[in-house]
Amino acid sequence: MRKLASLFAATALTSVSAQAADLEVTHWWTSGGEAAAVAKFAEAFNASTDNTWVDGAIAGSGGTARPIIVSRIIGGDPMGAFQFNHGRQAEELIEAGLLRDMTAVAEAEGWTDIVNPPSLLDACTVDGKIYCAPVNIHSWQWLWLSNGAFEKAGVDVPTTWDEFVAAGPALREAGIQPLALGGQPWQSSGLFNVLIVALAGPDVLKSVYGDHDTDLAAGEEMARVFKAAADAREMAEGSAVQDWNQATNMVITDTAGGQVMGDWAQGEFAVAGETAGEDYSCLPGLGVNEVISTGGDAFYFPVVDDPEITAAQDELAKVLLSPETQVSFNLAKGSLPIRGDVNLDTANDCMKKGLEILAAGKTLPDVNMLNTEDTNNQLNDLFVEFFNDKSITPEAAQERFVSIIENAD
């Protein structure tokens, strides 16, 4: 009888473990390059487990997707997994007990030994528990330039931000939009934050956003940044597109001279068949202050009462950080892997620049690791207004900026 009971238990366990789940994965990767990259995750998950990736893409970038994701989870209709950026975006969901503690998976897979830089895993950690799986390093600190546009304008491809600004009139005269800037609010604030790092320095950004240093926010270094933002506003005038990838496409088609955008833009260049160093050029840190902000994407896993979904969540977390998946996904996405032990010999010239900067330790925290979503939304509002209304002086914008920093959480 004892043998029969043991056999029954073993059979039942095998039956349970063989169960497959349809795992809904929600994200906002919908552009051509993003879709090609997220498909690598889906392919790896479907191939290495008995589960099925059910794609839950939400168009419109994070500003549109995040409220929908949060609403579903709070409303009791959670997806199996979802993408957020590294940082503080999931704090309230964690505090409410709505997201799973993934520490056991992280420890079993040795994440503390492979995630580089460690700050990415720190951004997933609350009260000593790991709540997310970081999948890439995305940096905002890039200026993408159309080689063809500058050739048409008869000027050399710039090597610094100041050279880019100086080339603006020649681009205009040649019928080329100097700076492509989309209408999504985060694009405007992202551009401004890149200017802070390039022209005032990484320490200024960390002190203003991380320490809420209002004296620094009101000082001369930031005044220079606001003046540069006014130059950028002048160069972006006439950029009548909405989505970030539409602005990237202006660079790809040589109808714009450049775009300040994160390295996810490389996915669009890749889909278009563009070659780094030939069709387009890239300036990390705007050619002034070469540094990589260690932002990026991570996947979180809502608490569910279905053990099959829970098991599938664990499997997805493992797949996301596996060496093979890290290579295939990040080569398609244009981002850097969170593992330093993978082979990226096939990376293009711009990606190799990023890898060299990362290897040199020239990194800074992403803004999402320093600011709450409320603060980011206030900054978005400010810079959308500033870039769309030339009557707002740099001085007036800086005063509002100081007030936001003073009252930041």
Side-chain angles (χ1 to χ4, degrees), residues 241-317:
V241 294
Q242 179 67 16
D243 294 342
W244 70 270
N245 53 304
Q246 293 173 322
T248 305
N249 190 60
M250 294 178 68
V251 180
I252 291 171
T253 57
D254 304 331
T255 57
Q259 178 193 25
V260 175
M261 184 52 58
D263 50 15
W264 48 89
Q266 286 206 87
E268 303 305 302
F269 287 111
V271 168
E274 298 267 289
T275 300
E278 296 179 12
D279 302 304
Y280 67 97
S281 298
C282 53
L283 297 182
L286 307 187
V288 180
N289 205 335
E290 291 194 352
V291 65
I292 292 293
S293 54
T294 53
D297 302 287
F299 280 83
Y300 290 81
F301 307 88
V303 173
V304 295
D305 57 8
D306 185 337
E308 293 174 9
I309 295 294
T310 299
Q313 291 173 330
D314 290 349
E315 291 301 316
L316 176 60

Side-chain angles (χ1 to χ4, degrees), residues 9 13 35 63 72 77 93 131 139 181 199-200 295 332 369 393 396:
L13 181 60
R72 279 192 54 184
D77 181 29
L93 292 173
Y131 286 90
S139 175
L181 177 64
L199 304 180
M369 298 178 184
T393 65

Side-chain angles (χ1 to χ4, degrees), residues 101 103 107 122 124-131:
D101 171 9
T103 306
E107 290 179 345
D122 292 342
C124 287
T125 305
V126 178
D127 295 331
K129 299 177 180 178
I130 297 171
Y131 286 90

